[in-house]
Amino acid sequence: MVYTHDFILQHYSEDGNSYEEEIADLMDLRQACRTPSRNDAGVELLAKYFSHLPLIESRFFSPTHHTGIFFTWYDSFTGVPVCQQNLSLEKASIFFNMAALYSQIGTRSDRQTITGLEEAIASFQIAAGTLNQLKETYTHTPSYDLSPAMLSMLIRLMLAQAQECLFEKIALPGIRNQFCPLMKMAQEAAKVTEIYDQVHQSMIQMPIKDNVPLFWSTMAQIKTNHYRSMAHFFVASALLDHQLGPNDDEDQQEKTLSQVYDNIPEGRTPLDILKKQDERQCSKAHIRRAIQGHEEALRIYGLCPSLNSLELLHGILKASHQRSLNKYSENEKEDEFPDYTEAPDIVPKTEHKAEMEVPTTTKVKVADFFQRLGPLSVFSSKQRWTAPRTVRVKPEDRDVGFNLKGDAPVQVVSLDPLCPAAADGLKEGDYIVAVGETDCKWLGVTEVLRLLRDAKDETIEMQVVTMMDSSPSMPTKSATFSGNLPKTYSMICLAYDHDDKNPRSRKVTKKSSFLSWGLKNKLKSASTLSLPTDDHSGSLPWNKPCPTFPSSSSYNNDSALY
């Protein structure tokens, strides 16, 4: 704040104390952005501050002079503070936090309803789009969590969660226990598997591997195995429960099965698998792969202590495993010889692919806090100004001895060197900022001439300023501190306890990371096949708040903007 007062006085030659209210409004907005609410209102708050930053930059951040202001943020993964004089870090950090809020909105959505699932899908897709725009726009931010590699991983993570919600949306009304719908769901599940596998692979690559929480990579690995097992279960159910009959559409089923497999076992054709009873071993091979996948998911779950508190997740994994075991037992015959046929991989396919969405709330219309300084096109940090001078004008037969031009502010042109105004110090090129007690920085020629014409005194006092030549006083390279980090890239937002009613006593704590998880709990019927659940009461607490990836940078309490 001290800097702002001094800058206004030195650069704009105005009393900085007269802008106390504007400075306070700016600082209040910036302070509020440290603890935004985890909903649309929080996103709008960050968008409002983000929209003010270009105005602040134009007013106070000269391209040729360092301001002496350091913006401090903390990397969301390493916790390392990053300080930079360039306002780009501030913009990128706010943008990162907007993506984090969208991800949290998606995680907190009620995924037991179509409306909640649609909200989650939209939120995760917007989070991915926001991160992608951040990756393309801010390419030299010295913080690790804004590095291209980390942002690419986070984009995949958001799209994976969106694809998972799309799968849940299809399954929520119930899956028809028929051949083609089951094959369709198998490919939808395989698509979710494919994306989560890509997320997991990116998480275990260097240098991301050293900084991503083990909880994240473990959850991605669990979901990869879980959805792959579900895909094999659906294929097995379709082949075992729906043998090709005389009334079935043979061509359609053959085409469907051929699209599900990338490579069919040698010596077999889709029609053979559909028609021949002895080809049932292929379907049992799918059940075996489903069982193995569920066992692997449970094994991985047991290796991560951080997941012990997610009892609901453990229950879903166990229920899915038991369902596959039951299906295998129902179709096991004692007189059959062991068959070691390996089930083919299932081709991922979806009718509703998760896509990045461009955020519409990135920028909002805001009023310039410092608009009293004058039009930004003229009164900006790019120009330097003399202190306001008082010029006395004595109209003689309504001729003041000079002409004016411009919209706002007006500029003096065609000055008569012999007129009283010129003798009092008026120069060509001067800008009129006040006539009498009236501020003229936002007035055009017509309004200023009216003030001069309507003046009752014989002598009219005007305040004028002159633009000075600007020359660089130092290199334009910005100073950066990135605590012991090599040249990397980003931020963390800190959250507070919403139950704490007293804002003075709020304790700031880092949000834990979480990959959203959710499956439906639909009762099984003769015509539908529902996804497994560990809850038999018919209700699951999916709408409980869950944290997502570390929501993004926090300000240093010892650092002030101005």
Side-chain angles (χ1 to χ4, degrees), residues 228-474:
R228 181 184 293 119
S229 299
M230 290 180 64
H232 284 288
F233 177 84
F234 287 135
V235 171
S237 298
L239 295 176
L240 291 171
D241 300 344
H242 301 281
Q243 295 297 315
L244 186 62
N247 296 326
D248 294 328
D249 189 336
E250 180 180 307
D251 292 338
Q252 182 184 14
Q253 291 197 14
E254 182 182 11
K255 180 180 178 181
T256 300
L257 186 59
S258 64
Q259 292 175 344
V260 168
Y261 291 146
D262 190 13
N263 293 306
I264 297 179
E266 186 178 355
R268 299 178 181 180
T269 66
L271 198 57
D272 290 337
I273 296 175
L274 291 172
K275 282 186 172 183
K276 296 180 180 179
Q277 188 72 12
D278 58 357
E279 295 294 347
R280 289 163 62 90
Q281 293 295 343
C282 181
S283 56
K284 294 184 69 174
H286 283 290
I287 283 293
R288 286 195 296 271
R289 284 198 66 176
I291 294 172
Q292 293 168 1
H294 288 310
E295 291 175 346
E296 179 66 9
L298 286 167
R299 185 190 69 82
I300 297 170
Y301 173 89
L303 293 176
C304 185
S306 301
L307 296 178
N308 291 339
S309 60
L310 298 180
E311 296 179 0
L312 187 60
L313 168 61
H314 186 241
I316 291 175
L317 296 177
K318 288 181 63 177
S320 301
H321 180 230
Q322 188 60 49
R323 183 182 64 171
S324 295
L325 288 174
N326 294 340
K327 176 65 70 174
Y328 187 82
S329 298
E330 292 171 3
N331 295 273
E332 187 177 18
K333 292 183 180 181
E334 295 182 359
D335 57 345
E336 286 185 351
F337 290 101
D339 186 88
Y340 300 100
T341 302
E342 181 70 18
D345 291 332
I346 299 170
V347 176
K349 183 181 179 182
T350 180
E351 295 180 358
H352 307 281
K353 184 180 179 182
E355 301 283 358
M356 292 183 291
E357 291 187 8
V358 178
T360 57
T361 57
T362 301
K363 293 185 178 181
V364 297
K365 290 185 177 180
V366 294
D368 184 4
F369 282 130
F370 300 93
Q371 62 179 345
R372 285 199 293 127
L373 289 173
L376 190 56
S377 59
V378 177
F379 296 101
S380 70
S381 60
K382 295 180 180 180
Q383 289 82 32
R384 298 180 61 200
W385 302 91
T386 61
R389 309 188 310 277
T390 299
V391 175
R392 295 168 180 82
V393 178
K394 297 179 179 179
E396 298 177 0
D397 296 329
R398 296 187 178 183
D399 183 8
V400 293
F402 54 85
N403 293 327
L404 304 176
K405 73 171 184 178
D407 293 328
V410 297
Q411 191 175 17
V412 176
V413 294
S414 304
L415 174 66
D416 181 357
L418 301 179
C419 70
D424 204 31
L426 186 66
K427 302 176 183 178
E428 287 190 5
D430 283 350
Y431 287 87
I432 299 177
V433 295
V435 174
E437 299 296 326
T438 304
D439 190 302
C440 297
K441 289 192 287 290
W442 285 95
L443 299 182
V445 173
T446 303
E447 291 86 351
V448 173
L449 288 177
R450 184 182 297 112
L451 290 173
L452 294 173
R453 184 179 64 248
D454 295 344
K456 297 180 180 179
D457 298 335
E458 294 183 358
T459 301
I460 306 169
E461 290 189 351
M462 299 190 310
Q463 293 287 325
V464 299
V465 294
T466 303
M467 185 183 299
M468 298 187 296
D469 292 335
S470 298
S471 57
S473 60
M474 64 177 66

Side-chain angles (χ1 to χ4, degrees), residues 74-138:
Y74 291 88
D75 190 286
S76 58
F77 295 96
T78 65
V80 175
V82 178
C83 302
Q84 192 178 54
Q85 286 184 290
N86 197 312
L87 200 63
S88 294
L89 176 62
E90 187 86 347
K91 295 178 182 177
S93 301
I94 293 297
F95 216 60
F96 187 94
N97 284 352
M98 290 175 66
L101 286 187
Y102 275 119
S103 75
Q104 293 172 358
I105 292 173
T107 304
R108 294 183 175 195
S109 300
D110 181 8
R111 288 159 69 163
Q112 286 293 294
T113 65
I114 293 295
T115 302
L117 282 168
E118 289 176 346
E119 179 185 48
I121 293 167
S123 298
F124 287 130
Q125 291 184 145
I126 294 175
T130 304
L131 291 169
N132 186 65
Q133 190 169 338
L134 180 62
K135 176 184 174 183
E136 295 179 349
T137 305
Y138 302 96

Side-chain angles (χ1 to χ4, degrees), residues 133-163:
Q133 190 169 338
L134 180 62
K135 176 184 174 183
E136 295 179 349
T137 305
Y138 302 96
T139 57
H140 300 290
T141 307
S143 183
Y144 174 74
D145 55 357
L146 286 182
S147 65
M150 180 59 71
L151 289 176
S152 296
M153 184 277 290
L154 292 175
I155 291 170
R156 292 191 186 99
L157 175 58
M158 295 300 104
L159 292 178
Q161 295 184 97
Q163 192 67 52

